[in-house]
Amino acid sequence: MAQHAGPNLQKPVVGVTGHGRWWSPAWWCTRLSVWLAGGRAVRISTRHAVALDGLHALVIGGGDDIHPGLYNGEVMPKAHYDPERDALERTCIQHALAKGMPMLGICRGKQLINVVCGGTLHSDIRKRRRNTSNRGTVFARKTAVIRSGSRLHQLLGKSRIRINSLHHQAVRMVGDDVRVVARDLDGFVQAVEPSNGTHWLGVQWHPEYLFYRAEHRRLFVWLVGLARQAQLQGQSR
């Protein structure tokens, strides 16, 4: 159940990164998901400037490929790269990690958190798939197997979850203080979380497109709940 703000307390503010184009279904679905969880989303992009110190939590969203120069990977001829967005989101992630700000990484966002922490990526996994389809879908047509005892397992209360899939990059080697907590049926990493007790999660799928399913809304309820705590702590200082 979402914890909505009382009459004397504004909703916690969640920054949501993404591309700067007008047509952005991911932004609108993430905004709705944050609202359903009791928060207020603000958009961050190279065209939407936001003061990071005014936020209580962050969502690092999905989108174009991360440039391989950030993890010593292979440049793909047909890939779409956005170095300016890479730089902006790296700054956001570094800020969140340094300040202990709650953070949820989605698809590309989860991958970039791992890269910022020193990890690497597969530039293209499509030829490596054996048991799952390369066809992208916003519907929950694939399966993630969740590590028992992980924060994600405790949060979702399930060892398996149906997910969607819109990616062809994936985590290869995890960064410092990062651990794998879910994989798909081909063994590709579907979720990571910190091993040092900080407050962030990264999922390879797009829970914002699955807001109608309770288990996926729990990711946003978790994030907004932590944002509420950060908001209250800031007011008590």
Side-chain angles (χ1 to χ4, degrees):
M1 181 68 69
Q3 297 179 354
H4 292 278
N8 298 319
L9 184 64
Q10 294 184 348
K11 293 181 178 182
V13 181
V14 179
V16 179
T17 71
H19 63 70
R21 297 185 294 274
W22 177 83
W23 176 245
S24 181
W27 153 245
W28 292 108
C29 288
T30 304
R31 183 183 183 185
L32 173 61
S33 297
V34 169
W35 178 80
L36 289 171
R40 177 170 70 88
V42 295
R43 190 175 183 183
I44 302 174
S45 78
T46 55
R47 296 177 58 190
H48 302 83
V50 171
L52 297 180
D53 286 335
L55 304 176
H56 303 111
L58 272 171
V59 174
I60 310 297
D64 292 335
D65 289 3
I66 297 165
H67 196 281
L70 297 178
Y71 58 90
N72 295 320
E74 178 185 359
V75 174
M76 307 302 292
K78 296 183 180 181
H80 296 282
Y81 300 120
D82 188 346
E84 291 185 1
R85 179 181 173 186
D86 288 344
L88 172 64
E89 292 183 334
R90 288 176 68 197
T91 297
C92 291
I93 293 167
Q94 290 164 348
H95 177 86
L97 293 175
K99 299 292 185 179
M101 180 184 292
M103 180 168 53
L104 174 64
I106 295 175
C107 195
R108 164 197 160 91
K110 163 249 192 181
Q111 296 165 5
L112 190 55
I113 292 172
N114 183 61
V115 168
V116 169
C117 291
T120 63
L121 305 177
H122 293 289
S123 296
D124 194 336
I125 62 171
R126 284 174 286 197
K127 293 183 179 180
R128 298 171 180 266
R129 289 190 185 274
R130 297 293 182 269
N131 301 308
T132 57
S133 169
N134 282 316
R135 178 176 295 179
T137 175
V138 297
F139 300 107
R141 299 278 175 81
K142 297 186 179 182
T143 300
V145 181
I146 301 172
R147 179 176 176 177
S148 177
S150 65
R151 179 181 298 172
L152 183 65
H153 182 260
Q154 294 170 356
L155 178 62
L156 300 182
K158 295 184 175 183
S159 58
R160 286 177 174 249
I161 187 172
R162 297 291 284 176
I163 59 172
N164 52 22
S165 178
L166 294 171
H167 69 106
H168 65 264
Q169 288 189 310
V171 167
R172 183 175 185 177
M173 294 180 60
V174 294
D176 297 335
D177 298 318
V178 178
R179 66 173 184 163
V180 176
V181 294
R183 295 182 184 271
D184 65 20
L185 300 184
D186 270 315
F188 293 117
V189 177
Q190 285 294 323
V192 293
E193 65 184 39
S195 59
N196 59 3
T198 52
H199 297 297
W200 63 265
L201 286 172
V203 297
Q204 187 60 63
W205 64 91
H206 286 261
E208 75 275 24
Y209 293 140
L210 298 169
F211 60 87
Y212 52 88
R213 297 176 71 113
E215 61 268 31
H216 295 283
R217 290 199 304 273
R218 288 185 192 125
L219 294 170
F220 294 98
V221 171
W222 166 83
L223 184 71
V224 172
L226 290 176
R228 168 78 67 226
Q229 294 177 24
Q231 180 186 36
L232 293 173
Q233 290 171 0
Q235 290 181 349
S236 66
R237 291 173 185 168

